[in-house]
Amino acid sequence: MITAILIAFPFLAALLMLVVPASKTKPVALAATLVQACITAWVIYLFDIYEKESLLANMQFILREEWINSLGISFFIGLDGISLLMVILTNFLLPLIVLSTWNKEIARPGLFYFLMLFMQSALVGVFVSLDAFLYYIFWELALIPIYFIVLLWGGENRIKITFKFFIYTLFGSLLMLAGIIWLYLQTSDGSFGIDSFYAVMLDSTAQRWIFWAFFIAYAIKIPLLPFHSWQPDTYTTAPNAGTMLLSGIMLKMGIYSILRWVLPIVPFAVDAYTDVVLYMAVGGIIYASWIALSQNDLKRLFAWSSIAHVGLITAGLFTLSRTGFQGALIQMIAHGVNVVGLFFVAEVILQRRNTSLISALGGIRTKAPVFASVFMIITFASIALPLTNGFIGEFLLLNSLYEYSYMFAAFAGLTVIFGAVYMLRAYKNTMLGEDSTEGFADLSMSEKLVFFPIVGLILFFGIYPQFIFNLTDESVKYLLEEIANHMALNY
Amino acid sequence: MTTLVLLSLLGFLVLFLGAFEQKKAILPVVIAGLSAAFVTNALSWDTSQTFYGMMRYDNYAVSFVGLMIFSVLMIMLLASYHFRNEDSHIADIYALMIFTLVGGLVMVSYASLVMLFVGIEILSIALYILAGSRRMNLSSNEASLKYFLMGAFASGFLLFGITLMYGVTGSFDLLVISDYVNGNEELPMLFITGVLLILIGFSFKIGAVPFHFWTPDVYQGTPTLITAFMATVVKTAGIAAFFHLFDICFSAIDGVWFNILWVIAAATILLGNVSAVMQNEAKRMLAWSSVAHAGYLLIPVLALNELSASAIFYYTAAYSVASISAFAVLLGISQFSNEMPVDQYKGLAKNNPIMTTALVIAMFSLAGIPPLAGFFGKYFVFVTAMESNLNIAVIIAIAGSLIGIYYYFKPVIFAFNQEVPPIEKIKGNAAFNFVLFAGIIISLIIGIFPDLLANLPGN
């Protein structure tokens, strides 16, 4: 039941936004996201990490109601360690994202916050769905609000860019839908439930087809190398809150879905295509880092660095090892927190200087020391310095890659060096040096309220990653077992 | 049968009311009559009567007739808005629409090929006049003439096919023909020619490629209200009749028609969508989109399994609701102008929240975005196709839907355009607003609970 509340509450709050007077929307939206965060905290408190007898090892708070009987579709949701982790990410970032818009004049605020909260509801839905069809519906529902957010509040060229974004992702989704329908027709009990899907035994040809039908959708969302071309434009054009939603949470939908819907269902195909995916991922890391090196726009720089980071996460997943899975989960949280911080840094600079071009900036540190310190911590986290949240995840991911093949690890490891180069250079050129232009006000109260929790999270997960281990360990073990069982049974 | 009699009487009553200048009474009478017909139709549920081997009023017929009555009711409500300042010949138009509905009813409940032909002709002849109902307008006349010529050709093909079928089997009765098909290993060439001629006749009627070329011109020239009528009621009747015949009679000989229909369906989906992309005129765009939808609707006919009937029914229902909303918004924006460029939607959002919502929901539903009705329509079609292993057809349909996004999103993007002066608030009467509301609510409800409609036509 509590899982349903996690989906329903932001949705109802979203509807409320449409009737609240325009001047009150910001506080009401913030209050709603804070309440949602409190509900999430309560769920963490109730969650039993040692449970392992339930569905999918430690799935809890399960709700299964019939929905479309004739098609075997049910309203089937629940939380295990991995889903809960994603829900935590979503619901703790959302208040920060809403707060990041505090000082900004927004046209039609009711509609804006309606779309944000609606998106939150859909994102939670994606992470807790245990029915493939329900999952697909939420997957698509999450796309619509972000499309409108970028279309209505975006910058230059938004119509063309949003359109490309929409077509790209919808193309992937429709392929996935075909895959879902096909799998459904193979289930023994004619159901879309995840248990039925996991029980389907496919021959290797079918697995290969299904793998690509699902994987392309996720590769577009994440995005992986040949499918990435929508991402930098969309991130740059989107209003800042939209970019945060996209990069901080939405792309995790793809990574999470690989764990939940691809690896245990078509393990043979995964095994067969591991190298292909690793080439895509590691190639993406190098390519994106290389391009990031020559970016002059902060937002674009962060967009490209994001491609490099998620490439590494995907690579870790496909090593099919416990270190790889744990590393990916930790890094997903770390990347979510850091990228929201980075884009807010860009936003703060943009608001004060009306530009995010690195060459036009410099010497901000002398005017705004607090801001400069915060940016430094986030930069360190982003280049994975020890004691920041970026370190442990990146370390585990590279470790798992090394166990799989040291060549891949060697090339993927370049991301650390490249990352340090372009991030530190961006920091140096914007924050240090002489300031030739007018003043730069230091952080306001609302901005501090965004940045301090982010810094807190960076340090907390950097020092105590055990929290994520504990939460997800049972689920990860179960997933690996399920994959091993499938492989042993089939071949 | 009661429904058929009731509707025919209603048509005549409206004509008389017009003749005696009782203009005020017409709309209430029409709405009351249609509601009564809807009820009597619903009462025939599960009775499944056959009338002298000519008509068979089973659940298949009941569900499609219910859908058509509903669509006509919505269009009549729009008509009260559209004709609010006009006072000539309204009765004729209302009456003709009701007669078209009578034709549609016969088309979905025939048990004999003669009745099929009679139904199609009742529907078509009324429609030829409706297409030309704006008598002083050149393009309306052109549309009427084009539609008449093409319709006459289609009827010719169909009739020729029926004749050949009669020549071979000695009967018009569907069950006799079905027995003949099942009982004979080798079918005479004459019979196969008959099947193909009937196939061509139907393809003309529903506007499938390569028999589609009349659609854009006719849709554009016809008064918008009647275009809405053609796109919904006529298409529903056409595809339901098409499937009915092939399901009962020709399912055993799919070798004869399968490949041809496969190519027709694929070409219809692709050409319809690609051509719609290139249109700058809203009505032409909707016309091409209706061609594309005819293509999607042909896929369940191709699959011809136990899911096909419900897939077709659900799809036509979702499509009709969304199309009526789309045409309602178009009527509201363009008022009486004949020019309907797509950028007319620009700046709609600011002062017209309900119309914009209706437009967004309608376009998203037509594009097939979940959880709206149009998405489940496509979904049912895909499931039906995959059940019969038509995987390539599904991929073509997916490609078509992707292209569809382009032109369905255009009006939506234009509506939120902030660079032009916003459109003034458009005043609609109560009926108009009701249609908009109903479109929004129904698209959402049957989208979220597709079970409500999914199993109606039975297997």
Side-chain angles (χ1 to χ4, degrees), chain A residues 67 69-70 108 144 163 192, chain B residues 369 379-380 406 418 448 451:
Chain A
W67 176 27
N69 252 339
S70 53
R108 272 179 290 183
I144 292 164
F163 193 68
F192 281 95
Chain B
I369 308 280
Y379 173 78
F380 285 127
Y406 182 80
Q418 291 147 9
I448 295 170
D451 259 1

Side-chain angles (χ1 to χ4, degrees), chain A residues 67-71 108 133 136 140-141 144 147-148 152 159 163 166-167 170-171 174 177-178 181 185 192, chain B residues 364 369-371 375-376 379-380 382-383 386-387 398 402 405-406 409 412-413 416 418 448 450-451 455:
Chain A
W67 176 27
I68 308 172
N69 252 339
S70 53
L71 297 171
R108 272 179 290 183
F133 196 84
Y136 179 79
E140 287 288 295
L141 269 188
I144 292 164
Y147 170 76
F148 275 110
L152 299 183
I159 292 176
F163 193 68
F166 199 91
I167 288 280
L170 194 70
F171 166 71
L174 285 175
L177 177 65
I181 297 175
L185 293 174
F192 281 95
Chain B
F364 276 27
I369 308 280
F375 163 72
F376 275 95
Y379 173 78
F380 285 127
F382 291 176
V383 174
M386 281 172 129
E387 181 88 6
I398 286 180
L402 276 177
I405 302 289
Y406 182 80
F409 274 42
V412 175
I413 293 173
F416 287 102
Q418 291 147 9
I448 295 170
D451 259 1
N455 293 319

Side-chain angles (χ1 to χ4, degrees), chain A residues 17-40:
Chain A
M17 288 302 127
L18 293 176
V19 291
V20 168
S23 57
K24 295 270 178 3
T25 42
K26 269 180 198 172
V28 176
L30 183 64
T33 52
L34 284 174
V35 171
Q36 171 82 349
C38 291
I39 301 175
T40 316

Side-chain angles (χ1 to χ4, degrees), chain A residues 1-4 6 39-40 43-44 46-48 51 54-63 76-88 91 124 127-130 256 260 471 475:
Chain A
M1 195 57 216
I2 188 121
T3 328
L6 283 174
I39 301 175
T40 316
V43 175
I44 302 173
L46 292 176
F47 189 81
D48 176 8
E51 167 76 55
S54 173
L55 176 75
L56 271 59
N58 69 349
M59 197 55 79
Q60 290 161 52
F61 316 116
I62 297 174
L63 177 72
F76 183 17
I77 52 178
L79 280 164
D80 70 348
I82 299 174
S83 329
L84 181 57
L85 189 68
M86 304 316 295
V87 171
I88 292 172
N91 289 342
V124 172
F127 295 135
V128 302
S129 296
L130 295 175
Y256 164 85
R260 175 77 76 221
L471 198 60
S475 310

Side-chain angles (χ1 to χ4, degrees), chain B residues 80 98 163 262 281 331 390 393 396 412 422:
Chain B
S80 78
I98 293 167
T163 320
W262 196 99
E281 165 91 2
L331 262 183
L390 296 171
I396 290 174
V412 175

